[in-house]
Amino acid sequence: MSTGGIDTLIRGAKIVDGTGNPWFYGDVAITGERIQEIAPTGHISPARAREVVNAEGLVVSPGFIDILSHSHVPLMRDPRDLSKITQGVTLEIMGEGWSPAPVGGQITDSFVDLSPQERELVREWIEPAKAWTRFRHWLEAMVERGVSPNVGSFLGGGTLREYVMGLRMGDPTQDELERMRRVMAEAMEDGAFGVSYALIYPPDTYTSTEELIEVAKVAGLYGGIYVTHLRSEGEQLLEAIEEAITIGREANVPVEIYHLKASGSHNWQKMQLAIESIQRAREAGIDVTADMYPYPGSGTGLSSVLPPWLAEGGLMYQRLSDPAVRERVRAEVLNPSGDWEAQAHGIGPEGVMPIGFERPENQQYVGKRLSEIAEMRGQHWIDAVIDLLISEQQRIFTIYFSMDEANVALGLRQPWVKISTDAGGVDPTWARPHGPTHPRAYGTYPRVLAKYVREERHLTLEEAIRKMSGSVAARLGLRDRGLLLPGYYADVVLFDPQTIADRATFEDAHQLSTGVRDVWVNGMRVIRDSQHTGATPGHFVRGSGAK
């Protein structure tokens, strides 16, 4: 029997501890920010607890860690992280391609993909008196203001390159490369988990393999990892994986592949080959793993239909107004060279659904396929894309229906694949008026537990939870989060395994998931009876190189 004081005692739950080990019935005692004790049901006296939570019939697990979060800007607007916390996410890891710092106190070209509203929101945070000149500054500002989940980040490789080179194409000079290495080292000392590049987007796409190796070496020296949105997820998928493996080997750094997929129906057969390639690398001693979201549609800008050279120098919209440029773009989009990721290639305009329109005159196109929009406008679909981008002056968030459901299940079954959202946390009450979004923002983790565990049985409950918690923590080098163990931080989720489910769809994404009853972050209840408590106990979680 426990004799120490207990703040919260969770009694009679089915405990899935995040290791992948079989579940067992037991009690979890929380004191302060940490788990004090875990014992078989009835072995901890409820008389010692300030609050007793009856968890019979429910599963208690570690909080879920999203290794691919885009909550940078949403958390500036709303610290509750509602659509993610209600899924059970207790740690948001951000930084794919870009991070809000270091920026030297002003909005620069590294924010090229933000909408005008998002840019204004970031401007409100980055004040001259609080210039985010170091990587850690934005995360410290988040926690100082108060935030519900824990937060951490990689250094965005695009932000790093823009900080030193702007949006210039080509290789850095030796002095510029040394400056990148110095800023990378500073970020690791500030708590970055490594460096992350999104190699289909400018300026990341301008980066050579050699430059990636040199920057990744610095992250590796501090115990960090190299994370990549591959240079291709379609035509050159296998070559892109080989590049990532080469970077891992030459830089002596672990590699994480973001949202592993094979895009375009003519590339679907490459998913098995991609898995085999990664497995061979692992067997050869290269530390490479991946993560996935459980949906057959991806989400990124409509601008990704067009070749990346357009964005050099931040002049994409101006260039698109030049008739000669339009003709060159048309030719390259219709017959892509293979050295850039043409997002519409292989799925056609009928597989492209733009949803992120902001101007009133374009609201009529929300949720329609690009083929329908082109017909409504009486244009070729490429001309419709160009004119809409000029009209909006922003990338226009778009759903691409490019993946195979069977490949999603195949990938999720791999032991070295983790679960991620590739999304930010939002509240439907303020997000819905801004238009549709990808359902992964609301339903990723419940969807895995409902569809791939309970209904289709591709994964066991224990394996799914491991992919959401312990496996992610191990990848990030966290030794006190991601598992239910005494002494670990009390990031805890209590859910009903029979009712947990995603409700968000591609047609109506703004619907919170169901089945998560309670969530604790650092020992404080953030979700009680499926309702947000308003608590903001999140910490800035740092990587192993932090000083």
Side-chain angles (χ1 to χ4, degrees):
M1 292 281 186
S2 171
T3 57
I6 297 168
D7 291 328
T8 304
L9 178 61
I10 304 170
R11 298 195 77 204
K14 181 182 286 187
I15 296 177
V16 182
D17 64 10
T19 64
N21 288 334
W23 64 266
F24 59 95
Y25 288 117
D27 298 344
V28 177
I30 299 171
T31 299
E33 293 189 328
R34 296 185 183 257
I35 297 170
Q36 177 178 311
E37 186 177 353
I38 297 175
T41 300
H43 283 242
I44 302 175
S45 171
R48 305 300 304 170
R50 184 175 57 84
E51 180 182 19
V52 177
V53 177
N54 179 11
E56 290 183 8
L58 304 179
V59 169
V60 64
S61 78
F64 307 145
I65 303 173
D66 188 0
I67 198 172
L68 178 48
S69 170
H70 288 288
S71 288
H72 323 53
V73 177
L75 284 174
M76 295 179 193
R77 174 170 188 158
D78 184 347
R80 297 172 304 152
D81 205 30
L82 193 62
S83 71
K84 301 290 278 298
I85 285 281
T86 51
Q87 295 183 57
V89 174
T90 58
L91 172 53
E92 297 270 47
I93 303 295
M94 296 163 277
E96 185 195 8
W98 81 282
S99 45
V103 294
Q106 60 183 346
I107 303 296
T108 59
D109 290 333
S110 64
F111 295 85
V112 68
D113 276 346
L114 297 187
S115 69
Q117 292 90 341
E118 290 172 326
R119 281 171 172 261
E120 190 57 39
L121 184 59
V122 177
R123 281 192 183 94
E124 293 173 7
W125 278 70
I126 307 178
E127 302 168 358
K130 297 180 179 178
W132 291 346
T133 56
R134 295 277 300 217
F135 169 82
R136 68 174 187 269
H137 289 161
W138 73 281
L139 291 159
E140 290 172 342
M142 288 269 187
V143 173
E144 182 181 351
R145 190 276 308 268
V147 64
S148 292
N150 297 303
V151 292
S153 184
F154 297 96
L155 173 62
T159 298
L160 174 63
R161 197 173 207 270
E162 188 278 335
Y163 189 73
V164 175
M165 295 178 61
L167 287 180
R168 190 179 88 234
M169 295 177 71
D171 295 329
T173 65
Q174 192 59 40
D175 285 346
E176 287 171 334
L177 184 58
E178 284 306 311
R179 189 179 179 203
M180 286 186 197
R181 290 172 58 86
R182 184 173 66 254
V183 175
M184 182 74 248
E186 290 175 352
M188 294 303 296
E189 292 174 0
D190 279 357
F193 286 100
V195 65
S196 166
Y197 285 86
L199 294 175
I200 72 167
Y201 306 118
D204 308 44
T205 190
Y206 307 150
T207 308
S208 68
T209 304
E210 293 71 26
E211 181 183 329
L212 295 170
I213 290 170
E214 289 304 308
V215 174
K217 282 179 181 177
V218 179
L221 289 174
Y222 287 87
I225 66 178
Y226 167 74
V227 197
T228 178
H229 176 146
L230 294 170
R231 209 176 288 274
S232 172
E233 296 174 328
E235 305 299 320
Q236 303 293 317
L237 171 61
L238 302 180
E239 293 84 349
I241 289 174
E242 286 306 311
E243 180 188 39
I245 292 169
T246 297
I247 293 165
R249 181 176 61 248
E250 297 299 317
N252 192 30
V253 65
V255 175
E256 177 77 12
I257 296 173
Y258 277 144
H259 45 58
L260 180 65
K261 66 172 77 74
S263 292
S265 58
H266 61 299
N267 293 313
W268 286 351
Q269 82 281 0
K270 294 178 182 176
M271 186 65 169
Q272 179 64 47
L273 299 175
I275 289 169
E276 292 170 1
S277 179
I278 293 170
Q279 191 59 45
R280 281 196 303 272
R282 291 186 57 78
E283 291 168 357
I286 307 298
D287 185 0
V288 54
T289 60
D291 52 78
M292 294 178 64
Y293 49 79
Y295 295 90
S298 62
T300 188
L302 184 62
S303 54
S304 296
V305 165
L306 307 180
W309 57 261
L310 279 166
E312 184 185 12
L315 299 174
M316 181 175 71
Y317 305 111
Q318 295 92 315
R319 289 193 178 102
L320 287 175
S321 298
D322 183 334
V325 170
R326 291 177 71 117
E327 285 307 307
R328 178 184 171 188
V329 166
R330 175 190 284 267
E332 292 189 19
V333 171
L334 289 177
N335 297 285
S337 61
D339 59 1
W340 62 283
E341 190 79 335
Q343 285 290 306
H345 187 61
I347 61 175
E350 62 277 3
V352 179
M353 187 173 77
I355 59 177
F357 296 102
E358 294 179 356
R359 294 186 64 85
E361 63 269 27
N362 296 329
Q363 294 305 307
Q364 60 184 312
Y365 306 130
V366 170
K368 289 183 169 58
R369 301 300 176 106
L370 181 55
S371 53
E372 298 176 87
I373 295 172
E375 184 176 353
M376 291 169 66
R377 294 172 61 92
Q379 290 180 294
H380 189 282
W381 65 267
I382 296 175
D383 294 313
V385 168
I386 292 172
D387 286 344
L388 287 169
L389 287 170
I390 293 173
S391 168
E392 288 278 327
Q393 294 289 299
Q394 52 99 9
R395 64 175 190 153
I396 309 175
F397 187 72
T398 298
I399 304 294
Y400 294 87
F401 294 98
S402 60
M403 291 177 279
D404 177 35
E405 284 272 16
N407 277 345
V408 175
L410 173 65
L412 290 175
R413 289 197 298 267
Q414 304 309 308
W416 37 264
V417 166
K418 296 168 285 298
I419 311 300
S420 62
T421 71
D422 196 13
V426 297
D427 180 343
T429 59
W430 58 255
R432 187 181 292 276
H434 291 283
T437 190
H438 196 295
R440 63 196 179 194
Y442 288 89
T444 293
Y445 297 97
R447 180 176 177 83
V448 170
L449 294 170
K451 178 178 173 66
Y452 295 96
V453 175
R454 187 175 66 230
E455 297 169 6
E456 299 181 4
R457 301 181 182 274
H458 290 290
L459 298 170
T460 65
L461 178 63
E462 294 90 340
E463 179 67 357
I465 296 297
R466 184 188 71 83
K467 289 171 176 287
M468 301 172 179
S469 57
S471 176
V472 192
R475 195 50 164 166
L476 296 170
L478 300 177
R479 299 292 176 254
D480 52 8
R481 296 186 190 273
L483 301 174
L484 292 183
L485 286 175
Y488 273 51
Y489 279 98
D491 299 333
V492 180
V493 177
L494 192 61
F495 66 90
D496 187 334
Q498 300 306 315
T499 65
I500 191 167
D502 60 312
R503 298 171 61 232
T505 66
F506 286 107
E507 293 72 30
D508 186 6
H510 294 294
Q511 301 186 80
L512 296 174
S513 56
T514 60
V516 171
R517 198 188 81 179
D518 299 292
V519 177
W520 290 260
V521 175
N522 301 318
M524 183 173 291
R525 189 100 64 112
V526 176
I527 297 291
R528 180 190 296 269
D529 295 329
S530 302
Q531 300 299 311
H532 203 292
T533 65
T536 54
H539 288 181
F540 171 12
V541 178
R542 293 168 169 84
S544 58
K547 290 188 175 180

